[in-house]
Amino acid sequence: MFDSLKNTVDFYLRNKIRFSRKNYFEPSESKSDLQLSKDEEELEKILVDKYGLLEYRENSTIIGYLQNLYTLYFLDKYLSPEYSTSLSVLDIGSKNWFYAKGEYSFFKRYSDKLYLDGVEIDAYRLYSNFYNRYEVAKFYIKDLENTSYIPDNLLNINKRYDYIIWILPFVIIQPHRFWGLPDKYFYPKKLFEHAYSLLKPGGTMLIINQGKDEAEEQRNIIGERSFEVFKLDSIFYKYKNERFLYRIIKGGEL
Ligand SMILES: C[S@@+](CC[C@H](N)C(=O)[O-])C[C@H]1O[C@@H](n2cnc3c(N)ncnc32)[C@H](O)[C@@H]1O
């Protein structure tokens, strides 16, 4: 009860109070000692070549580079888009969108005109350096054409998308509270149904969950919709919990 009230007050305040200062910036780091396994090295070469990442490799931090390789790894493995003149993609719960480059590089390969949106309800959450998620996200997407970070609730999004990527949705209340969100925003089924309604017929949604409990809850939320589920490899970046990926393709209904 106390946590929920505290979250409500803090959430309200951080959406009202904004700091203003120099743009956020991260200096690049050398990739001469990435400490990758043999398999990772081979996959890195394939992904760098396929998605044109040489310049990004030079101009990124080590952790950012590895996390974006991981993003490309699962998109490349579990999606195979057909080339299309225009593609619209939504990322849900983008946080500071540290993985935007991976999503952009993947989908851009399959379309001349890519529109990539990232929606985040808690965009003004502050880091200890006093930059908020929105400011950090602006740095990560600064060179990505037609890419927009939307500081809003998913429920307010009404565009239609060919692909939706949803990495670690809150499907149980403890992590939702732990991350500082008020209880009144916890409605995972409603969010899923809304996200599904945004998919164009034939569109695909990928959802990644961590741990068996969250994956099980995700399965309940998906309900009667048809899906496939896969266990993800931990590659490039070692995550604490095992991860599962749901792939949901929207049937032809309008
Ligand atoms: C566990 S974090 C995952 C962040 C990021 N996708 C990642 O992989 O690190 C879940 C994110 O979803 C956001 N979120 C929760 N409810 C939302 C909603 N209704 N609309 C948009 N974002 C929401 C949270 O604020 C949080 O940043």
Side-chain angles (χ1 to χ4, degrees):
M1 182 64 195
F2 173 74
D3 278 358
S4 176
L5 185 64
K6 182 178 179 307
N7 284 355
T8 300
V9 174
D10 289 352
F11 184 84
Y12 174 81
L13 287 176
R14 64 180 173 266
N15 278 275
K16 291 284 162 211
I17 302 168
R18 311 273 162 82
F19 292 91
S20 143
R21 74 207 90 90
K22 279 205 300 198
N23 290 344
Y24 177 78
F25 175 80
E26 271 176 9
S28 306
E29 293 170 330
S30 160
K31 309 295 182 306
S32 56
D33 185 22
L34 282 178
Q35 303 194 337
L36 299 179
S37 67
K38 261 231 124 0
D39 285 353
E40 286 172 329
E41 267 179 18
E42 273 170 29
L43 187 55
E44 184 204 8
K45 280 203 190 81
I46 292 170
L47 293 175
V48 167
D49 190 41
K50 189 166 173 184
Y51 297 103
L53 299 177
L54 272 183
E55 198 185 325
Y56 176 64
R57 194 179 193 279
E58 294 299 307
N59 297 303
S60 49
T61 60
I62 291 176
I63 188 168
Y65 180 63
L66 294 175
Q67 287 171 325
N68 278 282
L69 283 179
Y70 172 79
T71 305
L72 272 163
Y73 144 74
F74 73 76
L75 293 174
D76 186 76
K77 182 159 179 181
Y78 295 104
L79 290 180
S80 33
E82 294 200 353
Y83 185 84
S84 161
T85 44
S86 162
L87 268 186
S88 296
V89 180
L90 175 66
D91 179 82
I92 302 177
S94 308
K95 197 168 77 172
N96 61 22
W97 221 1
F98 59 90
Y99 52 91
K101 174 70 182 174
E103 291 181 338
Y104 181 89
S105 307
F106 177 76
F107 287 107
K108 188 67 186 152
R109 189 169 196 270
Y110 300 100
S111 182
D112 283 341
K113 267 257 173 269
L114 169 64
Y115 296 92
L116 177 61
D117 291 341
V119 62
E120 172 53 58
I121 197 172
D122 202 3
Y124 300 102
R125 192 172 179 80
L126 279 181
Y127 292 104
S128 51
N129 59 12
F130 293 109
Y131 283 98
N132 63 41
R133 289 173 167 179
Y134 194 172
E135 292 168 297
V136 177
K138 277 190 209 153
F139 172 74
Y140 291 138
I141 65 173
K142 67 180 170 18
D143 299 323
L144 312 180
E145 210 184 344
N146 297 323
T147 299
S148 313
Y149 182 89
I150 305 168
D152 205 344
N153 191 333
L154 167 66
L155 294 182
N156 295 326
I157 302 291
N158 290 307
K159 276 168 65 178
R160 294 290 176 271
Y161 294 94
D162 300 288
Y163 291 91
I164 293 181
I165 312 299
W166 203 348
I167 309 172
L168 309 185
F170 294 138
V171 292
I172 51 181
I173 193 144
Q174 289 86 348
H176 174 98
R177 283 187 181 142
F178 182 76
W179 281 57
L181 287 182
D183 284 11
K184 68 173 179 181
Y185 295 116
F186 185 71
Y187 29 60
K189 178 77 179 165
K190 189 166 158 187
L191 287 176
F192 172 77
E193 291 302 333
H194 186 70
Y196 191 83
S197 78
L198 302 181
L199 266 185
K200 294 180 189 173
T204 303
M205 174 158 30
L206 294 187
I207 305 178
I208 294 182
N209 303 101
Q210 55 179 347
K212 286 212 170 69
D213 291 353
E214 291 195 18
E216 191 53 41
E217 195 47 43
Q218 186 68 64
R219 200 236 157 290
N220 295 333
I221 289 167
I222 294 170
E224 297 307 305
R225 315 276 187 206
S226 62
F227 67 88
E228 295 159 283
V229 63
F230 308 89
K231 189 169 177 313
L232 282 178
D233 294 328
S234 193
I235 188 160
F236 295 121
Y237 191 81
K238 304 285 171 264
Y239 290 98
K240 266 200 305 225
N241 300 303
E242 54 185 350
R243 291 184 168 207
F244 299 88
L245 179 144
Y246 284 92
R247 183 169 60 198
I248 299 151
I249 300 176
K250 190 167 185 170
E253 75 270 21
L254 291 172

